[in-house]
Amino acid sequence: MSKIKMGMVGGGAGAMIGGIHRMAARLDGEVDLVCGAFSSTPEKAKASAAKLGVAPERAYGSYQEMMAAEAALPAAERMDFVSIVTPNHMHAPVALAALAAGFHVLSDKPATRTVAEAQTIAAKVAETGLLYGLTHNYSAYPLISTARDKIADGALGTIRKICVDYLQGWLSEPAAPDNKQAAWRADPTLAGPAGAMGDIGSHAAQLAEAVTGHRLRRVSGHLSTIVDGRVLDDDAVVLFETDQQAKGILNVSQIATGEENGLSIRVYGTKGGLEWHQQDPNTLTLKWLDNSRTILRTGNDHAGVIAQSQSRVPSGHPEAFLEAFGNLYRNFAAKIRAVQAGEAAPATAIVPDIHDAVHGMAVIEAVVASSQHDHAWTEVKA
Amino acid sequence: MSKIKMGMVGGGAGAMIGGIHRMAARLDGEVDLVCGAFSSTPEKAKASAAKLGVAPERAYGSYQEMMAAEAALPAAERMDFVSIVTPNHMHAPVALAALAAGFHVLSDKPATRTVAEAQTIAAKVAETGLLYGLTHNYSAYPLISTARDKIADGALGTIRKICVDYLQGWLSEPAAPDNKQAAWRADPTLAGPAGAMGDIGSHAAQLAEAVTGHRLRRVSGHLSTIVDGRVLDDDAVVLFETDQQAKGILNVSQIATGEENGLSIRVYGTKGGLEWHQQDPNTLTLKWLDNSRTILRTGNDHAGVIAQSQSRVPSGHPEAFLEAFGNLYRNFAAKIRAVQAGEAAPATAIVPDIHDAVHGMAVIEAVVASSQHDHAWTEVKA
Amino acid sequence: MSKIKMGMVGGGAGAMIGGIHRMAARLDGEVDLVCGAFSSTPEKAKASAAKLGVAPERAYGSYQEMMAAEAALPAAERMDFVSIVTPNHMHAPVALAALAAGFHVLSDKPATRTVAEAQTIAAKVAETGLLYGLTHNYSAYPLISTARDKIADGALGTIRKICVDYLQGWLSEPAAPDNKQAAWRADPTLAGPAGAMGDIGSHAAQLAEAVTGHRLRRVSGHLSTIVDGRVLDDDAVVLFETDQQAKGILNVSQIATGEENGLSIRVYGTKGGLEWHQQDPNTLTLKWLDNSRTILRTGNDHAGVIAQSQSRVPSGHPEAFLEAFGNLYRNFAAKIRAVQAGEAAPATAIVPDIHDAVHGMAVIEAVVASSQHDHAWTEVKA
Amino acid sequence: MSKIKMGMVGGGAGAMIGGIHRMAARLDGEVDLVCGAFSSTPEKAKASAAKLGVAPERAYGSYQEMMAAEAALPAAERMDFVSIVTPNHMHAPVALAALAAGFHVLSDKPATRTVAEAQTIAAKVAETGLLYGLTHNYSAYPLISTARDKIADGALGTIRKICVDYLQGWLSEPAAPDNKQAAWRADPTLAGPAGAMGDIGSHAAQLAEAVTGHRLRRVSGHLSTIVDGRVLDDDAVVLFETDQQAKGILNVSQIATGEENGLSIRVYGTKGGLEWHQQDPNTLTLKWLDNSRTILRTGNDHAGVIAQSQSRVPSGHPEAFLEAFGNLYRNFAAKIRAVQAGEAAPATAIVPDIHDAVHGMAVIEAVVASSQHDHAWTEVKA
């Protein structure tokens, strides 16, 4: 099986998320990093390429150069898709350039800074027929498929209440001046109009939807900037209603001191509930009307066919963050192979798509708008 | 040490909460149940008295009769205080009658149906100088004292975010017609204008305050009635701000299928956070800026002097709901002894008082008003 | 319902276990402490009696005096049973005297210091037809009944492996000279020939049997004295085989630094397993061949009829150590009432009896003997 | 940085552990699989190679062929080390052949079937000066370094008791005839004289030593074959004493129904204890004399320098089994680079070596011998 060839934009030396994408891409040996525009300066980009085993002639000084040069290569050599791991403001231009040049796109989240930007990508995707994927890695944990299956099968009855917490503490104090991760996330021109809401609230909303199959349709947002000197929100509480009449809460914070990456979801229906914690991702708890509970675990047949397809080792050998992230790369590679073979992608090759991307931006925009209007209920427009 | 003599109003055969109060009162052997008006009919009251070991001549047909008869007894014989365990609508009339007749009052929560009712009790307490206690039993767990101490000592820095969940599932389905616990709680004339918010949301708000020492000053309430046919709310989400500029959420539900009595609190300050779960009440987790955590446990010196005073057995021998409830009775008995001796009550004799009671009703009223006005921010007036 | 009248031997001021027995006895209001020989000196005994609300004329200077005086009282006044809460060496003489005087006996564990002593009690019980109960409080938690039911019903298949841990750290360091709890437990003439094994290993063995319905029949014991200067074992590892061919381990220590009262049991059968932890007593985990798990919780119908009979409050309101201990008193009172009424005791009135007591001593003796013979396999002789 | 080149013996289509090694090797992009003798037949080996992206000319029909052919390649092309992922009986011949041909060796555990076999490898390692590593992956979790550091620093005082559980349930029932993993493990000629003890007991013993820095010096072993028809042990209980006078237990089973891969360790010293569970590998609990606890977590500075070097993502993004396994590959690659550069390997490049391998086999042999002699205490001879 030949490998799918990846080009990367962003992710140069010192970047956190680029390294994660690369480990995820490498894990299954199905994706090869063949080129990149890793940094904003050609010198840095070359240096990164050398470290990453990318040939110097394919270490490009800009994404525009990369698209042009790769498109000019023979089909058997040129990259198959572009992985975008830049700060948010570059997501749209890079994605548009890649699509225009004929390359599939796998982008870090949030998709863009605005709905309008995301819609330009959607239009290009529709026009080109190319694949677009968004790396909402948390919904790629195996047991999220199990949870989705249980709800789809009606095991929990009609869903009535959805609670997602996403609590981090790493911005409890003003970030150090040299913290690049914190710096661009705090700058509206780079990150977009939402801080914590855009960075992790977007994951929280997407997880609620991925688990339940509902869509957020109405939100009441309360964005707060707790730490002095910050421009964007570092705490966000969002009440929502879904297109299937469930109510819910997103409780999102980056000033929850002592929390690492505390994403969790609880869902309650007429027949049962469920609970899952990202920091203990191989356990899914189902809760029943009689107050007994069922514990399901990654890597077992009881988790269901899709969950099993997203799992690599025997149960009890914990699978975690990088494996879930790797599922997105493996699934996206499977979708590309299907396109290349003119076949339908397998049902297990789940990756959030451009519709999810546009909708996700619409959720963020609605929350920001609601918060600016005294948390008035605000429709999600896409 | 002679026992403190208790009369009880409510709590006849089949009542859930009355039995709990009696077990709590008996645990330490400091309180004696000497009389009662246990039921709405004299016959049932007599039958209950017999079962409870109360002398027939002190099993009264009504609370009015009880107050009059007991007041007429010699001081050494008559009850010292009245425990009120009726549905909410009777709390105020019984408390007023007891105070008027010269008896201290220990009342189940919420204090009354309205702020106005609570204020009449407050006026009577001020006039008589008698003791009034409110059985917010959850803040009587030993480690809640530890949590309060840690925050008061500044260990967590300035408190910025407070999250209280109180999730139950027992009303996920329409209650059976013969479920007396559910019936009166669903009737606004008996329970007051709030359902889940009054029944358990009141505990949630009080716990937030007991742990942090803050007072809720502004609320935005979203009360929902999820199950068809119900009049009062069975789900309540409340955003709040405190008098010390912290923000918070109460997430309260009685339709969270599969949750038993899921009360928990998480608090985040500038230096640290804490977490406590009522269903695992002997563990308090402190969370630090460096992401390490400290676990404190009931019954150890490290829990602090007050927590140790509220604990009865060596650590690792779990103490739970009835023991915490018993702390309120033991503490209230200590306060009565202090009054009788003309001394100051010990610092460990902590029982929520009439000011807490009035404030608690003001929180409920503000939440109801906010919810009726599209969750507008609403001041808590007491 | 008139109360069952209790006399107590031991448990004077400062005693830990006596206070626990009294709280347990008081909890349900079915037992009245009417007399006692609380201390080794008459003065101390009188002082304790006053604090405990026992009439001075029934505060006896010795257990012999108590038996004689109480037996001389009219039947309606005299005590119904004797609760023995002395150090181990007094268990047998007091029990024998009580039985000889016509009183039922509820004794703290271990039953005696030796099998021979226990057998003299057994003979007296057989002769008198009186009740004898042993306060193995850990098997009185509600979910232990659930566990027993599940195994008896065959849900786990044939039981093959049983692991009980009982790890404490309170003797990690040499005990303070004024620690009375530690002092008598360390003295073979008072405690018997086993230290940790007798004190808590006896609970561990009994829990294994109470859950599975098996009896230990063969043991290989390794008793260690870790802390310098101690005479008896403070650490005990016991391998065992049961009368139903299961194998198992008791891992018992009082030098497991940082463990409070870490008693837990895991059982594995051909169809499933189970796990229960005393410090989280309201949760029982069942484990299945397909690696899914079922969580059962105290206070729910799913826990079974007997478990429900041993529970006092709605599920999610945790019940703990004192409630489990109280079950023994309530159950023993029910047995006495049945005897007094000439009826069979209810099936729910479970209290370990004299056969359990003799067998328990035989387990301890076999472990000690095995340990003295290089951990040779040794039969349990009763 | 050029990649370290790996050849693999074993791990053809359908092999479980081979795939795990390859994912581990790929994760960091520092190791390239360049050749292999993947299967016992040349046809299967070629087919596996094609799937794995190995050039057909370097898919060898036997390990002997591989050693010869690779040794004949130019230094810049030939493999740097051999990864051995065969059943146990092939470990020694392959390792010896690789070393003889001048290649470093990284071998799956247990090292061999016997001490004697391991010693022949040790002699060859001594003779050649080549590197030998053993993939005890569980001690490669980041927090195991933290645990080791804490003990080495004296934070827990003198270590007195060590408890390791390794409980699995996958062999609770007779294995299906087509279960290749189960089949060779059950055959003494392939697996060696120990079943569960060799397969997972070897990990348990090694973990005890890796955490404490002690060596097992004396064992008392009880091997049981619970499931009918099996030849080797499927349950093993081992008591041990270490060279530093600590006592301990290994509780090992593959018939613990409902357990997935339940490896855990608890250590108790004079000043504190610690606990770690492989299924929750990012949490390390320290336990103190005052019964408070400290929780440390993967990915934080508080975990220590070495632990941080074995971690790839920010804390709260869980790292698990494959990442720990990947640490061994990354560390072994670092050692090879150091050898190639003529430098000392970095202190963080921790991989169990040939001395550990020989000692590990000696532990297994001593346990088997003890079990055959009525669990007599038996010295570990290496």
Side-chain angles (χ1 to χ4, degrees), chain B residues 1-3 29, chain C residues 6-8 22 26 32-38 45-60 66 70:
Chain B
M1 190 161 66
S2 69
K3 293 188 176 185
Chain C
M6 170 170 76
M8 181 169 266
R22 287 189 294 264
R26 273 195 298 259
D32 227 9
L33 176 65
V34 298
C35 66
F38 298 108
K46 296 272 175 196
S48 289
K51 282 192 188 155
L52 296 171
V54 168
E57 66 275 15
R58 294 177 84 176
Y60 301 105
M66 173 166 131
E70 289 288 317

Side-chain angles (χ1 to χ4, degrees), chain A:
Chain A
M1 190 161 66
S2 70
K3 293 190 177 184
I4 297 295
K5 295 182 288 300
M6 171 169 76
M8 181 168 268
V9 179
M16 186 264 283
I17 201 67
I20 287 172
H21 279 250
R22 287 189 294 263
M23 286 187 278
R26 275 196 296 260
L27 186 62
D28 295 299
E30 300 197 6
V31 172
D32 227 10
L33 176 65
V34 297
C35 66
F38 299 109
S39 293
S40 44
T41 69
E43 294 71 29
K44 283 190 192 170
K46 296 272 177 197
S48 289
K51 283 193 188 154
L52 296 171
V54 168
E57 67 274 16
R58 293 177 83 177
Y60 301 105
S62 73
Y63 72 90
Q64 296 94 334
E65 183 192 339
M66 171 166 132
M67 303 306 165
E70 290 289 316
L73 289 176
E77 278 181 48
R78 70 175 170 241
M79 66 178 173
D80 294 303
F81 77 102
V82 175
S83 170
I84 306 176
V85 295
T86 63
N88 301 350
H89 68 299
M90 293 303 294
H91 289 183
V94 176
L96 289 169
L99 292 164
F103 299 110
H104 305 296
V105 167
L106 185 62
S107 172
D108 203 64
K109 44 52 54 188
T112 54
R113 289 173 301 180
T114 64
V115 175
E117 282 186 343
Q119 286 171 329
T120 61
I121 301 176
K124 203 67 168 177
V125 168
E127 176 194 325
T128 60
L130 291 163
L131 295 172
Y132 174 93
L134 191 65
T135 56
H136 275 301
N137 54 293
Y138 297 113
S139 60
Y141 276 106
L143 288 179
I144 296 303
S145 295
T146 310
R148 181 169 44 228
D149 288 353
K150 291 293 173 191
I151 288 175
D153 293 351
L156 307 191
T158 302
I159 300 307
R160 301 195 293 203
K161 185 175 175 84
I162 304 165
C163 307
V164 182
D165 285 341
Y166 201 151
L167 301 178
Q168 299 181 332
W170 71 295
L171 296 178
S172 282
E173 300 190 304
D178 62 345
N179 185 331
K180 289 176 72 171
Q181 307 311 324
W184 74 254
R185 282 175 172 79
D187 180 343
T189 60
L190 304 183
M197 182 62 211
D199 187 21
I200 60 174
S202 56
H203 277 307
Q206 190 268 345
L207 186 65
E209 298 182 337
V211 166
T212 60
H214 293 212
R215 284 286 200 197
L216 273 59
R217 275 300 160 227
R218 205 162 86 107
V219 296
S220 166
H222 304 70
L223 303 184
S224 305
T225 303
I226 305 285
V227 172
D228 284 347
R230 212 163 264 163
V231 177
L232 294 174
D233 56 286
D234 49 20
D235 187 274
V237 177
V238 179
L239 308 196
F240 64 84
E241 294 175 11
T242 73
D243 58 355
Q244 296 181 45
Q245 283 73 54
K247 300 190 174 193
I249 314 175
L250 310 178
N251 182 15
V252 173
S253 188
Q254 296 183 313
I255 59 95
T257 308
E259 300 293 354
E260 295 175 327
N261 195 32
L263 172 64
S264 67
I265 184 165
R266 292 168 292 177
V267 178
Y268 300 100
T270 50
K271 295 184 183 173
L274 66 77
E275 182 165 351
W276 177 83
H277 291 258
Q278 190 270 148
Q279 295 191 182
D280 182 18
N282 299 304
T283 297
L284 175 68
T285 302
L286 304 178
K287 309 175 181 185
W288 306 115
L289 278 169
D290 76 346
N291 290 335
S292 69
R293 297 183 169 195
T294 302
I295 306 289
L296 304 181
R297 296 266 308 159
T298 301
N300 293 292
D301 288 343
H302 68 236
V305 171
I306 294 182
Q308 283 291 72
S309 77
Q310 309 295 306
S311 178
R312 291 167 180 81
V313 288
S315 75
H317 301 69
E319 298 181 82
F321 177 80
L322 288 172
E323 288 77 37
F325 224 118
N327 287 338
L328 291 177
Y329 273 88
R330 193 166 66 169
N331 293 347
F332 200 64
K335 290 171 80 101
I336 292 175
R337 285 186 209 285
V339 166
Q340 291 175 341
E343 295 170 357
T348 55
I350 300 172
V351 184
D353 66 13
I354 189 63
H355 303 293
D356 300 307
V358 173
H359 172 71
M361 292 314 303
V363 169
I364 294 174
E365 279 197 3
V367 168
V368 171
S370 169
S371 188
Q372 288 168 346
H373 292 84
D374 200 15
H375 66 78
W377 282 106
T378 302
E379 299 298 310
V380 176
K381 293 189 181 141

Side-chain angles (χ1 to χ4, degrees), chain C residues 160-161 165 167 172 222 224 226 235 239 247 249 251 257-259 266 268-269 287-288 293 375 377, chain D residues 160-161 165 167 172 220 222 224 226 235 239 247 251 257-259 266 268-269 287-288 293 375 377:
Chain C
R160 301 195 292 203
K161 185 175 174 85
D165 284 341
L167 300 179
S172 281
H222 303 70
S224 306
I226 305 284
D235 187 274
L239 308 196
K247 300 191 175 194
I249 314 175
N251 182 15
T257 307
E259 300 293 354
R266 292 169 291 175
Y268 300 101
K287 308 174 182 186
W288 306 114
R293 297 184 169 196
H375 66 78
W377 282 106
Chain D
R160 301 194 293 202
K161 186 175 175 83
D165 285 342
L167 300 178
S172 282
S220 166
H222 303 70
S224 306
I226 305 285
D235 187 273
L239 308 196
K247 301 190 174 194
N251 182 15
T257 308
E259 299 295 352
R266 292 168 291 177
Y268 300 101
K287 309 174 181 186
W288 306 114
R293 297 183 170 196
H375 66 78
W377 282 107

Side-chain angles (χ1 to χ4, degrees), chain D residues 174-252:
Chain D
D178 63 343
N179 185 332
K180 290 176 71 170
Q181 307 311 323
W184 74 255
R185 282 175 172 79
D187 181 343
T189 60
L190 304 182
M197 182 63 211
D199 188 22
I200 61 174
S202 56
H203 277 308
Q206 191 267 345
L207 186 65
E209 298 183 336
V211 166
T212 60
H214 293 212
R215 284 285 199 198
L216 273 59
R217 275 300 161 227
R218 205 162 86 106
V219 296
S220 166
H222 303 70
L223 303 183
S224 306
T225 304
I226 305 285
V227 172
D228 284 347
R230 213 163 264 164
V231 176
L232 294 174
D233 56 286
D234 48 21
D235 187 273
V237 177
V238 179
L239 308 196
F240 64 84
E241 293 175 10
T242 73
D243 57 355
Q244 297 182 45
Q245 283 73 54
K247 301 190 174 194
I249 314 175
L250 310 178
N251 182 15
V252 173

